[in-house]
Amino acid sequence: MNEFSIGIQCRYLSTLDPKRPQVEENVFIGINDHEIAFIGKHDPKTQSVRHWIQGEQHWVTPGMVNSHTHLPMTLLRGMADDEPLKEWLEKHIFPAEARLVSPEFVKIGTKLALCEAIRSGSTTFCDMYYFIGDIAKVCDEAGVRAYLGETYIDFPVADNLKQDGGEERILSKMLVDYANHRRIRPVVGPHAPYTCSDETLKKAFGFARKNKLLVSIHVSETEWENAESISKYGKTPTKRIADLDLLDVPTLFAHGVHLTEEDMEICAKHKVSVVYNPESNMKLGSGAARVPLMLEKGVNVALGTDGCASNNDLNMIREMDSGAKLQKHSAKNNAAISAWQLLQLATINGAKALRAEKTFGSLEVGKAADLICIDLMHTHLQPIHNVTSLIYSLQGSEVSSVLCDGRILMDEYDLKTLDEDAVIRELAEYRQKMSF
């Protein structure tokens, strides 16, 4: 008798494994410890299960991989909405962060973020912020998978006021504290080419190269950024980074809204992934990234929400819907991109961007059990003609169960690793003593 620690009987299953059909019906998943141990037909005579996850009327997919966000910025949600990006960032967000950001700020903001994000199906995050050691503790306790980018930037910030190498001390401590950790990994996070000198970029990429870390950086989010780079350096931000010989390091570009075709070819050549953030790009008026063209040129494109200050949510389910519709709208072509492609961007492509597709991003025997169950028993999802088309109907609230690395984070809509009521009370107390 084969015994599984967790079992799920799916109504529909999308593994994102290219060797399997896009959608399968009435499939059993058996999980042991951290990993998927079995995918197939359940035989009660030879297989036993210690804990069943309800899935008979569910669509099961890999957990969502949010490849670009700023988790603690939930505390800045709604601040200075409807302002132009440059003004919003330089006159409101940067000054607010200088005044407010502390270890307490990032811990409370991250707890709030994870309650929201787990409820809408996210299991993995690539974050860029400050005090990442404190973010890591919250993510570890919550059981999520987190790639945490410590920010390099050319002015004093909360955890590096003296600009004396504080970011590298933080990253070095993370490398010790989370050596060989299954779910937590430090990332080097130079903020953007327009806030980092050549020397700062070389320093950041050099640390990543030395320590075999990923680099996550905002690139070509706005037309202004490209114009400023061409005026100052005579080249686009991507060409500038490439000409500094930095792209031998695993790199992902957040946004890439205004990448030129030459920029895309540079990304493809150097295996640079681009993270598409459609709702943030729409809300800030940045434009629409040319995702179909990037994919055509061989660029791996992943999906992210950006932070709550510019989105204003962390809902990857809704992000898929918005991401598809923005491409169709901007191309004036309903076939510009498909729901299935958005599901790929949100799962396996995110894992590829993080150079971890052998561990998660698709549901395969031997891979980590990172998965979500989507409850189909809602009127707005009926009738079901094409399962992947549900991406255009889902709100995120239909996610009923979430597993990461084989640990149950939510079961039947009940969060298991975070006390949501306690988080809201803690936020209310913190909000009273802080001036926002």
Side-chain angles (χ1 to χ4, degrees), residues 1 11 24 70 147 154 159-160 229 253 269 274 309 325 334 371 400:
M1 179 72 73
R11 176 67 180 89
E24 301 173 68
H70 311 281
Y147 289 70
D154 281 344
D159 60 355
N160 190 18
S229 180
F253 286 174
K269 176 183 176 181
V274 176
K325 290 173 180 173
N334 182 51
L371 58 84
S400 63

Side-chain angles (χ1 to χ4, degrees), residues 32-60:
N32 274 329
D33 298 321
H34 306 285
E35 297 179 349
I36 296 170
F38 179 83
I39 301 176
K41 297 298 181 183
H42 179 239
D43 182 357
K45 294 179 180 178
T46 62
Q47 298 170 327
S48 65
V49 174
R50 291 201 297 273
H51 180 83
W52 281 97
I53 297 283
Q54 295 299 316
E56 289 86 349
Q57 297 299 328
H58 290 67
W59 179 26
V60 175

Side-chain angles (χ1 to χ4, degrees), residues 6-242:
I6 298 172
I8 306 171
Q9 183 64 45
C10 317
R11 176 67 180 89
Y12 299 104
L13 172 66
S14 292
T15 65
L16 277 290
D17 178 353
K19 300 185 295 296
R20 300 181 74 107
Q22 288 184 6
V23 180
E24 301 173 68
E25 296 188 43
N26 301 315
V27 183
F28 169 73
I29 300 175
I31 297 165
N32 274 329
D33 298 321
H34 306 285
E35 297 179 349
I36 296 170
F38 179 83
I39 301 176
K41 297 298 181 183
H42 179 239
D43 182 357
K45 294 179 180 178
T46 62
Q47 298 170 327
S48 65
V49 174
R50 291 201 297 273
H51 180 83
W52 281 97
I53 297 283
Q54 295 299 316
E56 289 86 349
Q57 297 299 328
H58 290 67
W59 179 26
V60 175
T61 76
M64 300 289 109
V65 180
N66 189 340
S67 297
H68 178 68
T69 190
H70 311 281
L71 293 170
M73 292 183 81
T74 50
L75 298 191
L76 302 180
R77 191 187 333 246
M79 176 174 283
D81 276 345
D82 307 322
E83 297 282 350
L85 173 60
K86 192 169 186 293
E87 183 174 328
W88 171 82
L89 194 61
E90 295 180 354
K91 293 187 178 180
H92 299 284
I93 297 302
F94 284 160
E97 288 178 324
R99 188 173 74 252
L100 296 171
V101 174
S102 67
E104 186 181 18
F105 177 99
V106 302
K107 284 189 279 191
I108 293 171
T110 302
K111 288 178 190 177
L112 183 65
L114 294 181
C115 287
E116 174 186 354
I118 292 170
R119 283 206 173 278
S120 51
S122 292
T123 55
T124 300
F125 307 86
C126 184
D127 192 82
M128 182 197 297
Y129 213 61
Y130 312 105
F131 298 107
I132 63 170
D134 295 285
I135 299 173
K137 290 176 185 176
V138 176
C139 290
D140 194 14
E141 290 171 4
V144 299
R145 203 176 294 281
Y147 289 70
L148 301 174
E150 176 61 26
T151 303
Y152 285 66
I153 199 164
D154 281 344
F155 52 80
V157 291
D159 60 355
N160 190 18
L161 290 170
K162 295 182 179 179
Q163 292 281 280
D164 60 353
E167 64 279 282
E168 295 191 357
R169 288 194 295 274
I170 290 168
L171 284 165
S172 296
K173 187 174 188 305
M174 284 283 291
L175 283 167
V176 173
D177 290 347
Y178 294 94
N180 303 314
H181 196 284
R182 290 185 59 87
R183 293 178 290 99
I184 308 296
R185 182 74 172 156
V187 170
V188 177
H191 175 262
Y194 65 90
T195 55
C196 292
S197 65
D198 286 356
E199 292 70 28
T200 299
L201 290 172
K202 289 176 183 177
K203 180 183 175 184
F205 278 81
F207 187 91
R209 184 182 298 110
K210 177 182 176 182
N211 293 282
K212 298 181 179 179
L213 298 178
L214 178 77
V215 170
S216 173
I217 179 171
H218 302 89
V219 173
S220 291
E221 184 175 359
T222 64
E223 289 180 332
W224 167 85
E225 181 186 339
N226 272 19
E228 194 265 355
S229 180
I230 291 168
S231 173
K232 188 172 182 179
Y233 299 99
K235 59 190 78 174
T236 66
T238 297
K239 188 72 164 58
R240 177 183 161 211
I241 293 170

